[in-house]
Amino acid sequence: CTDIGLAEMMASGISSFSDMYMFCDTIAEHTEAAGLKMNIARGLTCFSDEFDFKTYPSAVETSELLGRWNGADGGRILVDACIHGEYTSNEKVWRSVAEFAAENSLGIHLHLSETKSEHEQCIQKYGRTPARVFADCGVFDVPVNAAHCVWVSGDDIRLMAESGATAVHNPVSNMKLASGIAPVPELKRAGVNIALGTDGVSSNNSHDMFEEIKLAALIHKATTFDPKMITAFEAIEMATVNGARAQRREDSGRLREGFDADIAVLDFDRPHLTPCHDVMSNLVFSARGSDVVMNMVRGEIIYKDGEFLTLDIERAKYEMERYVLPTVCGVK
């Protein structure tokens, strides 16, 4: 499963991604072999007040993951701490994770105000928004990647801007799940770093970042009635420079001397990209992940002209069809 996901990202030009949830060692091993860069976080949920970071299973896995993988291969793989969300944990968890992250100079990957019910139920329970309860527990004292941010308030946005947190915009997933549309124009005006995510195939069906780029550049024009809202260049920034900043990779996201040579090449001879009046507009409004013909990460070509050079795609598909689907889904 991991290799299939990695292959889709490689073929659509992605060089670095952030992942949260389980089986982190396996994902890290396969990502290292495939040659991509990754920020990995062991998803942490806890519905009990009986929480001790030193003994709680997923917290123990986080500590072990940190020792095994943080900074691996010259920083190709980085480890983040994780709070899955306000509604899947509690104050003891938030304070413990914030303390752990601060002690180990880590960022925190979390979900924030993805749905209206999540946001409103938090206010009913605590008298504060999810962002505010996190902040009161020290979570925003370290770098935060907050996925979704669909229902964040004006105070939340100011808090994020002041703390330097990143809002990870997932337009395809949020629309598919009918969660709503993140207030990206307001986040932008406040100076919040805005990156893009797919939210994974369980809520998106695709790892194609070009879908996210195009939609991020379109939906906010429609909601604000402003055709200049989120320019093509700003949408590309969200997918490159801002994403690198979110991952604390200050040597990535740009073509510049001394930076990692992460380069995706697209074939602009294809009918839907011809003629090209403006390269940036073509990239944002016309290009697809399938237009990528070469993907280079740190100077190593990992995908070219349909060929995966660092993983065995045929073996991955065989294992998916002959083992994974029959075992997990009962599909033969």
Side-chain angles (χ1 to χ4, degrees):
C1 287
T2 297
D3 279 350
I4 294 291
L6 292 173
E8 184 181 1
M9 287 189 279
M10 291 162 65
S12 58
I14 292 173
S15 60
S16 186
F17 66 97
S18 293
D19 188 74
M20 174 206 294
Y21 278 129
M22 299 164 285
F23 309 111
C24 295
D25 282 307
T26 298
I27 295 169
E29 290 167 4
H30 285 251
T31 299
E32 182 180 45
L36 282 88
K37 297 188 288 190
M38 172 183 67
N39 282 42
I40 184 86
R42 174 59 171 96
L44 200 161
T45 63
C46 180
F47 297 93
S48 169
D49 290 330
E50 300 299 318
F51 177 83
D52 185 332
F53 200 94
K54 295 181 179 179
T55 59
Y56 194 76
S58 53
V60 172
E61 286 186 42
T62 297
S63 297
E64 293 173 346
L65 191 70
L66 177 67
R68 281 195 292 265
W69 288 104
N70 195 38
D73 192 16
R76 186 187 295 274
I77 296 177
L78 299 177
V79 172
D80 289 332
C82 176
I83 299 169
H84 173 267
E86 170 274 322
Y87 62 102
T88 55
S89 52
N90 54 57
E91 183 174 336
K92 198 167 185 180
V93 172
W94 310 332
R95 292 189 182 280
S96 297
V97 172
E99 181 179 345
F100 178 80
E103 289 176 349
N104 293 280
S105 300
L106 304 180
I108 295 178
H109 186 165
L110 54 81
H111 296 92
L112 184 67
S113 296
E114 178 177 0
T115 66
K116 184 178 183 181
S117 60
E118 166 199 339
H119 187 81
E120 292 181 344
Q121 286 170 16
C122 179
I123 295 173
Q124 292 172 5
K125 184 175 182 180
Y126 298 105
R128 293 164 291 165
T129 65
R132 180 51 61 185
V133 297
F134 283 151
D136 290 345
C137 291
V139 172
F140 283 94
D141 292 342
V142 301
V144 167
N145 283 336
H148 305 296
C149 301
V150 175
W151 292 93
V152 288
S153 68
D155 180 64
D156 296 338
I157 292 172
R158 286 188 292 274
L159 188 161
M160 293 180 69
E162 291 168 1
S163 67
T166 292
V168 184
H169 186 26
N170 299 266
V172 173
S173 171
N174 292 155
M175 292 183 74
K176 182 186 177 187
L177 299 180
S179 299
I181 300 173
V184 168
E186 290 83 353
L187 289 160
K188 172 191 165 187
R189 281 193 288 269
V192 176
N193 185 52
I194 307 168
L196 291 178
T198 65
D199 201 33
V201 294
S202 62
S203 59
N204 184 315
N205 299 78
S206 171
H207 285 311
D208 189 344
M209 185 58 67
F210 283 92
E211 289 185 350
E212 309 296 336
I213 294 170
K214 181 175 182 176
L215 197 53
L218 289 178
I219 58 175
H220 305 292
K221 300 180 191 302
T223 58
T224 62
F225 306 103
D226 181 358
K228 295 181 180 179
M229 181 58 65
I230 310 301
T231 66
F233 185 79
E234 288 171 333
I236 289 292
E237 279 189 316
M238 292 180 193
T240 54
V241 180
N242 296 1
R245 184 178 298 122
Q247 292 185 326
R248 295 170 287 122
R249 297 183 183 275
E250 299 303 325
D251 58 354
S252 303
R254 303 174 188 266
L255 290 178
R256 178 178 293 179
E257 183 177 355
F259 278 46
D260 282 353
D262 301 335
I263 302 171
V265 178
L266 286 76
D267 179 4
F268 265 41
D269 285 336
R270 297 184 176 177
H272 59 281
L273 292 171
T274 304
C276 179
H277 301 293
D278 183 279
V279 171
M280 198 64 66
S281 290
N282 255 24
L283 283 172
V284 171
F285 299 113
S286 301
R288 309 162 186 163
S290 56
D291 295 323
V292 173
V293 293
M294 191 273 281
N295 190 355
M296 174 189 290
V297 181
R298 283 190 169 180
E300 177 187 8
I301 298 175
I302 60 174
Y303 172 84
K304 185 176 181 181
D305 297 329
E307 183 179 359
F308 297 91
L309 305 177
T310 54
L311 62 76
D312 188 340
I313 187 61
E314 294 305 322
R315 177 179 177 177
K317 290 193 290 187
Y318 178 87
E319 291 178 349
M320 175 68 76
E321 295 169 359
R322 299 300 180 90
Y323 175 74
V324 176
L325 292 178
T327 302
V328 178
C329 305
V331 177
K332 296 183 179 179

